[in-house]
Amino acid sequence: MASSRRFPSRAGARERLKSSGQRLRSSALPIVQCALAAGLAWWVAKDVIHHGTPFFAPIAAVVSLGLSLGARLRRSVELVCGVTVGIGIGDLIVSLIGSGPWQIALVVAMAMATAVALNSGPIFAIQAGNSAVLVATLLPPGEAGGFDRMVDALVGGLVGVAVVALVPTHPVRRARRNAAEILGTAADVLRKVEAGLVENNPKPIEEALRQARATQQAIDAMRTHIKGGREISRISPLYWNSRKRLAVLTAAADPIDHAMRNVRVLARRSLTLVRDDEILDPRLVSQFDQLADAVDVLREMVLAEPGEQPDQAAAARVLRRVAKRMSPDLVEGAGVSATVVFAQMRSLLVDLQQVAGLKRISAIATLPPTVERPAYEPES
């Protein structure tokens, strides 16, 4: 019994190995970029600018890039500015009050407080504090070392930006995969919910709800990769032509996020419906499978290259056909949970049609009206 707890099962070991491999593959290019930037930054600072031991240049390059593909330009600017503030304040204060435990505490507090007042970025404040410590402990005030560290930080940040421009990751591909993963999960959840409703069995719906709740990491990764993609499309000539595709994906990010939130609510309310043994019109139940098929088309649209099918127009047509069938007679005389499920499906359709490129008002107009005088004129 003890040995089984001490050693993971073979299946568990394979799962950990697979997870490790996936993490390594997703981080391979950022690791190469950091390594290349560190070496180049050292070479520029030491052999081109002729600094004796420019350790801060490769550090600055690695910190400015990191493993995250988002906001690298911001990190570079924050790092350089933080070093400048920290060394400037540290050099000034230490030259007046000397160095010691309480002087170090005061210098770090003043440098970080100044950085926070100037900018909310965490790297800015951290680098200001680190640089202040450097001045208060290692660099005698008034010497050229402080200025050299500023130059090293600038070199590291600029080399990091240059590496991103010359050895870039694709600005669209990672975010597109995240979006496709989220939509694929949404389709799977809808099918499991339908199975639970048909069987009047809460188990498939409980599994679907767990699956839907686990998508937040992919949503966050999608947003991070979109942000990083925008930077790459600005600074790398290799991908200037990807800006239009990135703009389309950027516009779809919020609707995808909102759609997944609606899927979670839909699954949760469907679970309540089954547990309460509430009756749901079979026509509405069948819409789950139809909607899942439409989401599959939307997923294929996200993965399609320019000029390939399905495009936004094709995905919108499929979604519109589902929307046209969501008339209020599907919940005539129904209970609260059935009505909520119906309303969530309509909201979900609006979100998904926005992913397919429709404006919100146009997406709402595809749905049959539920009141005599709707706010937006429905399509004929």
Side-chain angles (χ1 to χ4, degrees):
M1 184 69 68
S3 61
S4 64
R5 287 195 299 267
R6 185 177 302 170
F7 300 104
S9 66
R10 185 174 300 178
R14 281 199 301 268
E15 187 62 32
R16 288 192 181 92
L17 188 61
K18 181 181 177 181
S19 178
S20 297
Q22 289 174 343
R23 289 197 304 271
L24 186 58
R25 281 195 299 272
S26 65
S27 300
L29 183 57
I31 289 171
V32 171
Q33 289 174 329
C34 287
L36 183 59
L40 286 174
W42 176 272
W43 175 76
V44 170
K46 185 173 179 61
D47 295 341
V48 178
I49 303 178
H50 302 296
H51 286 180
T53 310
F55 66 89
F56 215 93
I59 290 175
V62 172
V63 171
S64 66
L65 292 181
L67 292 180
S68 172
L69 295 175
R72 285 173 156 187
L73 284 176
R74 180 185 176 94
R75 286 204 298 268
S76 297
V77 172
E78 286 181 1
L79 184 142
V80 174
C81 292
V83 170
T84 302
V85 168
I87 289 177
I89 290 177
D91 193 60
L92 175 64
I93 301 300
V94 171
S95 65
L96 295 175
I97 63 176
S99 181
W102 71 268
Q103 290 95 332
I104 292 174
L106 178 63
V107 166
V108 170
M110 292 187 66
M112 295 187 74
T114 302
V116 169
L118 293 173
N119 187 282
S120 62
I123 291 180
F124 193 179
I126 290 171
Q127 290 304 321
N130 289 343
S131 301
V133 170
L134 186 67
V135 170
T137 56
L138 297 179
L139 300 176
E143 293 194 1
F147 178 75
D148 287 349
R149 296 301 181 267
M150 295 182 199
V151 174
D152 290 345
L154 180 61
V155 167
L158 292 177
V159 168
V161 172
V163 167
V164 170
L166 298 175
V167 190
T169 184
H170 196 288
V172 179
R173 187 172 296 141
R174 288 174 182 254
R176 187 174 60 180
R177 288 173 182 167
N178 294 136
E181 176 188 347
I182 296 163
L183 292 170
T185 299
D188 194 31
V189 167
L190 290 169
R191 291 191 174 97
K192 287 179 179 177
V193 170
E194 184 198 25
L197 292 171
V198 170
E199 300 167 6
N200 198 31
N201 180 6
K203 295 297 183 183
I205 305 177
E206 290 170 355
E207 172 60 28
L209 187 55
R210 283 193 294 270
Q211 193 175 351
R213 286 170 172 166
T215 56
Q216 192 58 49
Q217 184 177 355
I219 292 171
D220 294 341
M222 176 185 68
R223 292 189 180 279
T224 297
H225 290 147
I226 287 174
K227 185 183 296 184
R230 282 201 297 265
E231 288 187 351
I232 292 167
S233 66
R234 285 197 299 266
I235 66 177
S236 177
L238 297 173
Y239 289 117
W240 283 345
N241 62 353
S242 68
R243 292 176 183 175
K244 184 176 179 181
R245 291 175 63 199
L246 189 61
V248 171
L249 191 55
T250 300
D254 280 345
I256 289 174
D257 189 355
H258 297 160
M260 205 62 231
R261 294 172 191 268
N262 275 320
V263 167
R264 292 176 196 140
V265 176
L266 183 61
R268 189 167 63 246
R269 181 52 69 168
S270 297
L271 184 59
T272 300
L273 187 147
V274 169
R275 286 172 174 170
D276 290 346
D277 203 23
E278 189 175 327
I279 301 300
L280 194 64
D281 192 311
R283 294 176 299 165
L284 184 55
V285 175
S286 69
Q287 292 304 301
F288 279 85
D289 189 55
Q290 300 296 320
L291 185 52
D293 290 343
V295 175
D296 282 337
V297 175
L298 200 60
R299 177 183 175 276
E300 292 170 8
M301 178 210 79
V302 168
L303 292 173
E305 298 293 340
E308 293 182 350
Q309 291 292 325
D311 58 8
Q312 283 189 317
R317 283 194 297 272
V318 176
L319 287 163
R320 184 179 282 108
R321 285 198 294 270
V322 179
K324 290 289 188 183
R325 293 193 286 268
M326 293 299 295
S327 58
D329 64 289
L330 295 177
V331 287
E332 188 174 351
V336 173
S337 291
T339 303
V340 172
V341 166
F342 172 75
Q344 286 300 136
M345 290 187 74
R346 286 171 62 99
S347 296
L348 177 57
L349 278 160
V350 171
D351 294 330
L352 294 174
Q353 289 183 89
Q354 288 181 83
V355 177
L358 272 69
K359 298 294 185 183
R360 184 172 181 274
I361 293 176
S362 300
I364 293 173
T366 64
L367 294 164
T370 56
V371 293
E372 187 176 343
R373 283 179 287 195
Y376 305 111
E377 188 68 26
E379 290 181 352
S380 56

